[in-house]
Amino acid sequence: MRTVRISDRVHYIGVNDRTTTKFEGMWPLPLGVSYNSYIVEGSEKTAIIDGVEASRAMQHIDAIKQILGDRRPDYLVINHMEPDHSGAVRMLRQAFPGIVIVGNAMTLAFNRGYYGIDSQTLQVKDGDTLPLGGDTTLRFHLTPMVHWPETMVTYLEEEQTLFSGDAFGCFGALNGAVVDTDMNTARYFPEMVRYYTNIVGKYGQFVQKALKKLEGLAIGTICSTHGPVWRSQIKEVIDIYDRLSRYEPLDNGATIVYGSMYGNTEIMAETAAQALAEGGVKEISVINASHTDISYIIAEIFRHRGLIIAAPTYSDTLFPPVAAVMEAIALRGLQNREVAVVGGHTWSQQAIKAMQQYIDACRLTPVADPVSFKHAPAADSLAQCAGMAAEMARILKVSANNG
Ligand SMILES: Cc1cc2nc3c(=O)[nH]c(=O)nc-3n(C[C@H](O)[C@H](O)[C@H](O)COP(=O)(O)O)c2cc1C
Ligand SMILES: [Fe+2]
Ligand SMILES: [Fe+2]
């Protein structure tokens, strides 16, 4: 592997993973994922910033040797202890026995617990600096709960480069180029929405705190732990993280998530979609919860302002694939959405009640009364469903005109 120079002092030494099928055992990786790592060279000392996942240790060590030759890295800065970045730390220690591990108190405690490492460590606090010699200084800013409690970012002052950990990261392995200016980045933006909403989505308020804290920093380059290095599209990337962490939708479209065993609820979902389209909504995602991976459903729900959920009652409860979606959005504390529910039953009407509870947990107010149907959708319930969707279209259009 050829290593990539990002600036006079910074090299990219990350690795691609196109083997793992599900990140964190849950989130599909059709485009793969990168574990980004960097070397910062000062005139006296050299620091590696963030590591890689265990299975890629050899590749990572080879890249370091390729750049440093006979020299040895002095520090490993761990911005985030999740094993996709720290998994290879023991192998790194074996390859470079003198390396000092730099982290905050919680990082070092996690590092002890995971890897049994409790010597040659350097504990840093919020705002501390680590001089690497000459005009190369790293400064640490603690940004807890983005998305673990120990997370921090590292700022290379002289180059205005932010090593941001998972913040501003995305799924998608790197295809040759590393820096955004050297590639078409289009494929990474949907993968950023999916990465943020799936993994960080619950911690919007902490991401907001981190963004406020970093507001004063001039940022010329973002070196996150996943996806491209951002230089020319920093504004777009920060805007996506800012809007999603404020739970603001990215557009005035609508997601219709439905579950259906025998097609009755599906007819209601199609009816709602047609009424939304007739009402002028152009971005509509109709998703069968049994068909599409929940990772994509969460991302679509965060993307659009409107949300219609339709499901039958199943064994005295909400149809489980739809319950899983509701659980996922309640866990993430979804806010600021226009919602409506459609529920079917044959002998006991539980679907609507359960959907309502999830929506109440998010403190969302539905745009219309729940649409209930029994057995199969009859003319009156179809008309009510279309009416509900028309009302949602009207509200979404008002939002579009205001925004
Ligand atoms: C396996 C199974 C379990 C069901 N459990 C319930 C139930 O507990 N209460 C109820 O009112 N209806 C129950 N139903 C009926 C469905 O909720 C109802 O027929 C629904 O309208 C079917 O919509 P669909 O065609 O979209 O699957 C059940 C149906 C099936 C197939
Ligand atoms: Fe992480
Ligand atoms: Fe990560």
Side-chain angles (χ1 to χ4, degrees):
M1 267 287 284
R2 202 165 49 85
T3 58
V4 179
R5 182 180 280 283
I6 295 182
S7 73
D8 288 348
R9 305 174 182 82
V10 182
H11 280 86
Y12 176 86
I13 50 166
V15 298
N16 284 318
D17 180 353
R18 296 188 180 86
T19 311
T20 302
T21 52
K22 289 198 170 178
F23 192 77
E24 295 179 351
M26 280 181 283
W27 317 114
L29 293 172
L31 304 183
V33 65
S34 69
Y35 311 119
N36 298 346
S37 172
Y38 306 88
I39 288 188
V40 182
E41 289 183 276
S43 60
E44 288 160 28
K45 305 275 189 188
T46 300
I48 295 167
I49 303 192
D50 298 312
V52 300
E53 195 265 332
S55 65
R56 267 69 185 174
M58 286 311 295
Q59 197 184 332
H60 189 227
I61 289 163
D62 285 349
I64 296 165
K65 287 182 175 165
Q66 202 178 319
I67 291 167
L68 297 184
D70 292 338
R71 290 175 300 147
R72 290 285 171 260
D74 298 287
Y75 302 109
L76 168 67
V77 174
I78 301 183
N79 280 323
H80 178 28
M81 271 296 300
E82 190 170 357
D84 54 333
H85 310 295
S86 71
V89 69
R90 260 202 228 161
M91 283 78 97
L92 200 69
R93 252 279 152 92
Q94 271 164 18
F96 308 111
I99 197 164
V100 172
I101 292 172
V102 181
N104 58 61
M106 205 179 269
T107 315
L108 298 181
F110 287 12
N111 201 37
R112 243 187 330 271
Y114 275 89
Y115 309 115
I117 294 175
D118 57 6
S119 62
Q120 282 174 262
T121 58
L122 175 63
Q123 186 177 321
V124 296
K125 296 190 302 296
D126 191 37
D128 280 359
T129 56
L130 180 66
L132 300 179
D135 56 352
T136 306
T137 316
L138 300 178
R139 189 183 289 274
F140 307 103
H141 299 276
L142 271 59
T143 53
M145 292 318 305
V146 180
H147 60 125
W148 274 29
E150 88 299 1
T151 45
M152 65 177 196
V153 300
T154 301
Y155 185 62
L156 171 52
E157 303 202 319
E158 292 81 359
E159 289 197 0
Q160 306 187 334
T161 296
L162 182 70
F163 299 92
S164 61
D166 281 347
F168 312 119
C170 59
F171 292 132
L174 295 170
N175 298 309
V178 169
V179 182
D180 64 352
T181 45
D182 301 332
M183 65 174 86
N184 179 347
T185 55
R187 77 181 67 207
Y188 294 103
F189 285 100
E191 290 293 87
M192 182 174 287
V193 176
R194 197 161 66 87
Y195 178 84
Y196 175 85
T197 59
N198 290 188
I199 291 169
V200 191
K202 176 177 166 62
Y203 302 106
Q205 69 178 106
F206 295 98
V207 176
Q208 278 296 308
K209 266 191 196 154
L211 288 173
K212 295 260 151 24
K213 188 166 181 178
L214 302 176
E215 225 165 39
L217 293 184
I219 300 176
T221 306
I222 293 179
C223 294
S224 92
T225 45
H226 301 287
V229 166
W230 299 102
R231 212 164 244 165
S232 66
Q233 289 172 289
I234 287 177
K235 203 173 145 306
E236 289 89 329
V237 168
I238 293 181
D239 186 56
I240 287 180
Y241 266 75
D242 182 37
R243 288 172 71 170
L244 291 173
S245 59
R246 283 188 286 112
Y247 297 90
E248 285 298 329
L250 300 181
D251 65 43
N252 292 301
T255 313
I256 300 176
V257 184
Y258 73 93
S260 186
M261 293 171 279
Y262 295 108
N264 293 292
T265 313
E266 187 170 56
I267 291 169
M268 299 294 268
E270 298 286 7
T271 301
Q274 283 168 3
L276 282 173
E278 279 163 17
V281 180
K282 297 228 162 60
E283 284 288 341
I284 305 170
S285 307
V286 182
I287 308 175
N288 179 345
S290 305
H291 174 269
T292 301
D293 193 284
I294 196 166
S295 168
Y296 293 88
I297 304 178
I298 295 168
E300 285 305 281
I301 290 174
F302 267 77
R303 185 187 301 280
H304 301 312
R305 185 180 297 278
L307 172 61
I308 296 173
I309 306 138
T313 303
Y314 182 93
S315 295
D316 288 332
T317 187
L318 176 60
F319 186 58
V322 173
V325 172
M326 301 297 294
E327 188 76 44
I329 63 172
L331 175 81
R332 287 164 181 73
L334 187 75
Q335 300 165 32
N336 308 325
R337 294 301 186 282
E338 307 298 339
V339 296
V341 300
V342 178
H345 71 289
T346 293
W347 65 91
S348 57
Q349 192 173 349
Q350 270 106 359
I352 286 178
K353 209 185 303 162
M355 288 188 276
Q356 197 66 49
Q357 277 167 1
Y358 284 114
I359 286 171
D360 289 347
C362 293
R363 281 177 283 169
L364 293 166
T365 311
V367 301
D369 290 338
V371 179
S372 172
F373 71 99
K374 191 172 178 178
H375 305 152
D380 59 342
S381 37
L382 287 170
Q384 195 194 345
C385 185
M388 169 275 287
E391 173 60 8
M392 183 175 285
R394 192 188 64 73
I395 293 169
L396 295 177
K397 259 170 62 184
V398 171
S399 303
N401 293 339
N402 291 341

